[in-house]
């Protein structure tokens, strides 16, 4: 098994690496409550060039629960990259002198890979443009395994903005390492990139594509909903043409398998009616909790 150093993209991980992270996350359930000092001397830097609530705070919570320290910025405007035009390479060359590990979120595809080229310290990708969000995919897999008891054998619908949503890109690639069936459900303008669909089919996965919410939710075990990524649209008119089209309301929940679950990386806008929160299928706030133990596992496997 390869030693985990950087975590940039799901395709860098074999299934056994993913399973090892999920197993470690399970062990972290206890440690997360009791707290530990196993990373007591270690410092994590969080460089967030884009907004975040869950990813940054759960990384910080994970590091603090393991006894480590955290520093960083959550608003690019207060950094030299925002105010003075410093390059990403120079920012990384600086921060690697201050910390033992760097967690980065950046609006450009390829940014985390670039950061890794300039760093002697491990880099964790916390979202690179519309391309990848590997730690979210790992916590999504952990949530599925915990809530459904297994990943193999599951039938999963990935819904919403499959074109610009980085979470679904990483999750689709991660799921393709398991014995699953995948249904892609998106408005025609926001379909999954052909390169990813082809790669998943090549991995031997049974793939289906639908363009409406009713067909999206029927007969699957997991309905993974996503927000239309307004900030990634080159033209706001394109966004206006698709917004509000894909929504889960009580009506859609009634079409689901009774033991099906709804996941969502959050934040939600209008694609997930708050009335759905009270249904047994709604599990997205439990999914949030999986973010802490999964990120504890990642930090421990890299730094421990
Ligand atoms: C996602 C992201 O940033 O890609 N959020 C998250 O990390 N949970 C999803 C989104 O912003 O829609």
């Amino acid at each position: 098994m390869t030693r985990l150093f950087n975590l940039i993209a799901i395709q860098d991980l074999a299934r056994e690496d993913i399973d090892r992270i999920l197993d470690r996350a399970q062990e972290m359930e206890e440690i997360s409550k009791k707290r530990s000092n196993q990373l007591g001397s270690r410092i994590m830097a969080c460089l967030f060039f884009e907004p975040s609530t869950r990813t940054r705070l759960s990384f910080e919570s994970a590091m603090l629960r393991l006894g480590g320290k955290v520093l960083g910025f959550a608003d690019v405007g207060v950094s030299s990259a925002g105010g003075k035009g410093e390059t990403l390479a120079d920012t990384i060359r600086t921060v690697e002198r201050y910390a033992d590990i760097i967690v980065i979120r950046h609006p450009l595809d390829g940014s985390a890979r670039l950061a890794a080229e300039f760093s002697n310290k491990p880099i964790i990708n916390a979202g690179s443009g519309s391309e990848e969000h590997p730690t979210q995919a790992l916590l999504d897999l952990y949530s599925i395994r915990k809530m459904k008891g297994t990943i193999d054998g599951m039938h999963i619908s990935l819904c919403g903005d499959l074109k610009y949503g980085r979470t679904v890109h990483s999750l689709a690639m991660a799921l393709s390492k398991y014995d699953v069936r995948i249904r892609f459900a998106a408005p025609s303008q926001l379909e999954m990139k052909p390169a990813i669909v082809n790669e998943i089919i090549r991995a031997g996965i049974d793939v289906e594509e639908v363009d409406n919410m009713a067909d999206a939710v029927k007969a699957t075990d997991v309905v993974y909903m996503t927000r239309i990524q307004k900030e990634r649209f080159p033209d706001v008119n394109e966004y206006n043409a698709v917004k509000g089209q894909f929504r889960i309301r009580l009506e859609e929940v009634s079409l689901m398998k009774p033991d099906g679950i709804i996941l969502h990386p959050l934040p939600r806008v209008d694609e997930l009616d708050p009335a759905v929160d009270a249904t047994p299928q709604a599990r997205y706030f439990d999914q949030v909790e999986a973010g802490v133990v999964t990120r504890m596992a990642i930090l421990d496997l890299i730094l421990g």
Side-chain angles (χ1 to χ4, degrees), residues 259-285:
D259 64 347
I261 58 170
I262 303 169
L263 299 179
H264 190 307
L266 302 176
R268 67 172 149 190
V269 187
D270 61 355
E271 69 281 3
L272 199 47
D273 187 335
V276 171
D277 298 358
T279 66
Q281 285 90 348
R283 300 300 299 276
Y284 27 91
F285 287 107

Side-chain angles (χ1 to χ4, degrees), residues 54-55 105 133 136 166-167 227 229 231 265-267:
R54 278 150 289 267
T55 304
R105 166 171 290 187
H133 193 347
Q136 178 71 43
R166 56 194 174 198
T167 64
R227 172 180 73 87
Q229 307 281 298
E231 67 277 26
L266 302 176

Side-chain angles (χ1 to χ4, degrees), residues 5-302:
F5 185 73
N6 297 315
L7 179 46
I8 307 294
I10 285 293
Q11 284 310 69
D12 300 341
L13 302 174
R15 171 172 173 160
E16 58 176 2
D17 300 317
I18 295 180
D19 284 335
R20 186 164 54 124
I21 294 168
L22 304 187
D23 291 343
R24 186 64 67 94
Q26 198 176 332
E27 292 164 15
M28 288 296 174
E29 295 274 0
E30 268 309 297
I31 298 171
S32 136
K33 291 189 205 97
K34 292 198 309 252
R35 314 293 151 95
S36 101
N37 201 34
Q38 63 205 71
L39 297 184
S41 57
R42 302 309 191 97
I43 299 173
M44 173 183 79
C46 278
L47 309 185
F48 276 64
F49 295 84
E50 271 193 341
S52 170
T53 298
R54 278 150 289 267
T55 304
R56 184 174 63 85
L57 294 179
S58 64
F59 260 114
E60 293 193 358
S61 182
M63 191 62 173
L64 295 170
R65 281 164 205 252
L66 292 170
K69 308 267 189 304
V70 302
L71 53 83
F73 56 80
D75 175 2
V76 61
V78 304
S79 75
S80 286
K84 304 181 183 179
E86 185 165 55
T87 63
L88 179 58
D90 283 357
T91 302
I92 295 296
R93 280 193 277 237
T94 302
V95 175
E96 69 147 350
R97 316 269 169 151
Y98 302 152
D100 302 305
I101 188 162
I102 300 175
V103 180
I104 179 171
R105 166 171 290 187
H106 194 282
L108 291 179
D109 289 13
S111 49
R113 182 85 61 198
L114 180 89
E117 279 172 29
F118 291 96
S119 179
N120 295 306
K121 304 285 173 58
I123 299 284
I124 299 180
N125 182 2
S128 49
S130 61
E131 170 198 52
E132 275 261 11
H133 193 347
T135 67
Q136 178 71 43
L138 292 166
L139 83 86
D140 296 337
L141 291 183
Y142 183 75
S143 301
I144 294 169
R145 199 175 86 164
K146 186 174 172 186
M147 293 170 192
K148 302 297 296 180
T150 171
I151 299 168
D152 287 317
M154 290 287 106
H155 191 182
I156 295 147
S157 303
L158 301 183
C159 316
D161 188 347
L162 306 185
K163 181 176 182 185
Y164 296 114
R166 56 194 174 198
T167 64
V168 276
H169 297 158
S170 292
L171 182 55
M173 300 301 274
L175 285 170
S176 75
K177 297 170 195 290
Y178 291 81
D179 178 19
V180 297
R181 282 188 290 159
I182 298 180
R183 182 181 299 161
F184 291 126
S188 58
Q189 303 95 316
L190 298 177
E191 283 171 0
M192 181 58 84
K193 300 186 221 179
I196 293 185
V197 177
N198 290 338
E199 194 153 342
I200 287 166
I201 291 172
R202 261 204 308 277
I205 304 293
D206 178 1
V207 171
E208 184 190 356
E209 294 189 79
V210 302
D211 64 0
N212 65 83
M213 230 26 252
D215 287 334
V217 299
K218 281 179 198 157
T220 56
D221 303 295
V222 180
V223 174
Y224 189 93
M225 190 62 184
T226 60
R227 172 180 73 87
I228 309 281
Q229 307 281 298
K230 183 180 182 184
E231 67 277 26
R232 311 252 182 246
F233 282 69
D235 179 351
V236 73
N237 293 318
E238 257 183 68
Y239 169 73
N240 288 332
V242 290
K243 77 166 185 216
Q245 271 186 30
F246 255 58
R247 297 185 64 198
I248 301 184
R249 299 155 300 176
L250 290 176
E251 196 182 320
E252 283 75 27
V253 177
S254 71
L255 302 172
M256 288 178 63
K257 274 174 101 167
D259 64 347
I261 58 170
I262 303 169
L263 299 179
H264 190 307
L266 302 176
R268 67 172 149 190
V269 187
D270 61 355
E271 69 281 3
L272 199 47
D273 187 335
V276 171
D277 298 358
T279 66
Q281 285 90 348
R283 300 300 299 276
Y284 27 91
F285 287 107
D286 298 324
Q287 183 188 359
V288 164
E289 209 174 300
V292 176
V293 288
T294 306
R295 290 174 172 127
M296 286 174 78
I298 293 165
L299 292 170
D300 179 55
L301 285 168
I302 295 178

